[in-house]
Amino acid sequence: MTSMLFPPLEPHCIPESDLLVAASRVFHTCIPNHQSLASTILGLVSIGSWLFAQVPQIIKNTQRQSVDGLSWGFLMLWLLGDICNLTGAVMLDQMWFQQIIAAYYVFVDTVLVTQFLWYGVVYRVKELEKRLEGVTIGGNSNSDDEGDSIASDSNADLKQKRADEGAAVARSKMPSVAHTTFVTVSLLGTLAGALPVNGGVPAMPTLGDVSGGWLSDELIEAIGMTVGWISTLLYLCSRLPQLILNAKRKSTEGLSIALFMAAFSGNLFYSGSLLLNPLGWRDYEPYGGGGVAGPEGSNAMEWWSRTLPFFFGAFGVLTMDAAVGLQFRLWGPGSEKAQIEEEEREGLLTAREAGYGSLESS
């Protein structure tokens, strides 16, 4: 059992110390020097940051049964960026932790988008229908026929108005639902169709195992690079709809600050891990650097050419996440604006209670 959990090292893996030997066996990868260890640790911390990044927002949406604080554009750009990121990371054969994070991104994004569609469309329409069912048509039993007629007409108008509101909400949301479904299914379908099948099981092509396939290494790398840069552009634009929505509302109500704090930390550690990776510092012969390079060796310039889109996608978003953090500072809980609103709310409640007290005393 021990050998299965911590297998022996490959002959080409030659760590510099016993600590690195143990780390290589624990992480099932060759960690020959302390720079590689630092890069690996930052990658793992990045995974840890992202594992729970969206969970507070998912919980908040469930508790509020609302997604009013979230921008639809933010979620869609984020999801599409993560789909492109996963595709590019696998096709360019990026480091294992990059592929794990990318796959997890897509999964959790799908949960958030599902919540948005449920609470923003289905749940809202159902709530409107319940309100309509609760409208009672009738008047005061002590009123005359004319009063009954006016009350009945008024309630009927109210019911019709709410019905129109529900229909308008459904009509306004349905194009977004249809568009989302079409785009997501099209992207996933295109991705699935591009994968060669081996033994009936789809297998994502990599630069090392597609020789002799129907796609050349050069074409796969070109596609991976293109998709990677598209993901970078989507990431850089993803926060803009949310920043604009927060600025229009002058509020961050409905948003979880933990989401953006974790996103900032995850992107920071992810960028740091890539910067410290030894493959980006020098060229290596096959299995060079004590095993840090693979059987084909490694060229630093080529490594960075494949890695840059993912690095800029993470590093560039740091400023956007920091801007969202500033908005929480200006308009979030505990801000001066929030305190003023709370004082005004307490003042209204106090005035209302005072009014009720005077009516009871009279």
Side-chain angles (χ1 to χ4, degrees):
M1 178 64 68
T2 303
S3 61
M4 292 178 61
L5 292 176
F6 307 110
L9 302 181
E10 297 291 337
H12 60 263
C13 184
I14 309 175
E16 296 176 350
S17 66
D18 292 339
L19 172 64
L20 297 174
V21 171
S24 298
R25 297 183 65 186
V26 169
F27 296 130
H28 291 213
T29 187
C30 187
I31 306 177
N33 54 55
H34 290 87
Q35 184 176 346
S36 295
L37 179 62
S39 177
T40 301
I41 290 175
L42 287 179
L44 291 172
V45 175
S46 175
I47 293 176
S49 299
W50 279 111
L51 278 177
F52 304 101
Q54 289 97 329
V55 173
Q57 186 65 56
I58 292 173
I59 294 174
K60 194 178 191 73
N61 295 342
T62 304
Q63 291 175 339
R64 298 176 70 246
Q65 294 188 338
S66 172
V67 288
D68 289 342
L70 281 171
S71 165
W72 177 245
F74 165 56
L75 290 180
M76 283 310 303
L77 288 174
W78 204 357
L79 172 61
L80 294 176
D82 284 340
I83 291 175
C84 292
N85 181 55
L86 173 60
T87 305
V90 176
M91 295 187 75
L92 294 177
D93 198 19
Q94 293 296 289
M95 297 192 325
W96 61 271
F97 78 87
Q98 292 175 260
Q99 299 185 37
I100 291 176
I101 294 176
Y104 181 74
Y105 288 170
V106 174
F107 169 74
V108 182
D109 290 349
T110 303
V111 175
L112 278 174
V113 169
T114 301
Q115 279 193 321
F116 195 97
L117 296 178
W118 175 256
Y119 291 122
V121 182
V122 179
Y123 186 82
R124 183 175 296 181
V125 171
K126 287 186 175 182
E127 283 295 302
L128 286 173
E129 290 176 350
K130 288 181 180 179
R131 292 178 187 176
L132 293 178
E133 293 175 358
V135 175
T136 57
I137 302 178
N140 190 334
S141 59
N142 295 327
S143 63
D144 54 18
D145 293 341
E146 182 179 356
D148 290 340
S149 177
I150 293 174
S152 178
D153 291 342
S154 176
N155 284 322
D157 291 342
L158 178 60
K159 183 176 181 179
Q160 182 61 42
K161 181 179 179 181
R162 289 181 175 177
D164 293 340
E165 289 177 353
V169 170
R171 285 194 301 270
S172 65
K173 295 294 184 180
M174 285 310 295
S176 296
V177 177
H179 181 262
T180 302
T181 305
F182 174 77
V183 170
T184 304
V185 171
S186 297
L187 283 173
L188 293 178
T190 302
L191 176 59
L195 306 182
V197 177
N198 183 11
V201 180
M204 180 68 77
T206 62
L207 295 178
D209 61 12
V210 295
S211 56
W214 61 278
L215 286 178
S216 65
D217 289 355
E218 293 76 13
L219 181 57
I220 289 176
E221 184 167 2
I223 294 174
M225 287 292 295
T226 301
V227 173
W229 282 111
I230 290 175
S231 74
T232 298
L233 179 62
L234 289 169
Y235 283 148
L236 293 176
C237 297
S238 64
R239 303 312 195 261
L240 292 178
Q242 189 65 58
L243 288 167
I244 293 172
L245 178 63
N246 295 344
K248 285 183 177 178
R249 298 189 308 151
K250 286 188 169 36
S251 172
T252 58
E253 184 179 0
L255 292 180
S256 170
I257 190 172
L259 166 64
F260 294 94
M261 290 177 62
F264 182 89
S265 300
N267 285 321
L268 180 64
F269 293 129
Y270 183 91
S271 304
S273 177
L274 296 180
L275 284 174
L276 287 178
N277 193 302
L279 296 178
W281 287 60
R282 51 167 294 188
D283 300 338
Y284 291 95
E285 59 186 11
Y287 296 120
V292 69
E296 298 179 356
S298 177
N299 179 277
M301 292 299 295
E302 292 180 358
W303 186 88
W304 272 113
S305 70
R306 295 193 301 269
T307 304
L308 273 179
F310 308 101
F311 173 76
F312 282 129
F315 189 77
V317 174
L318 289 176
T319 56
M320 295 290 189
D321 288 333
V324 176
L326 178 61
Q327 288 185 327
F328 270 97
R329 177 77 174 176
L330 293 174
W331 303 316
S335 65
E336 183 178 351
K337 179 178 182 294
Q339 291 176 358
I340 293 175
E341 291 178 348
E342 183 64 24
E343 291 174 357
E344 292 177 349
R345 190 179 299 111
E346 291 178 355
L348 289 174
L349 291 175
T350 302
R352 183 178 297 175
E353 291 174 357
Y356 288 155
S358 62
L359 287 174
E360 291 176 358
S361 62
S362 61

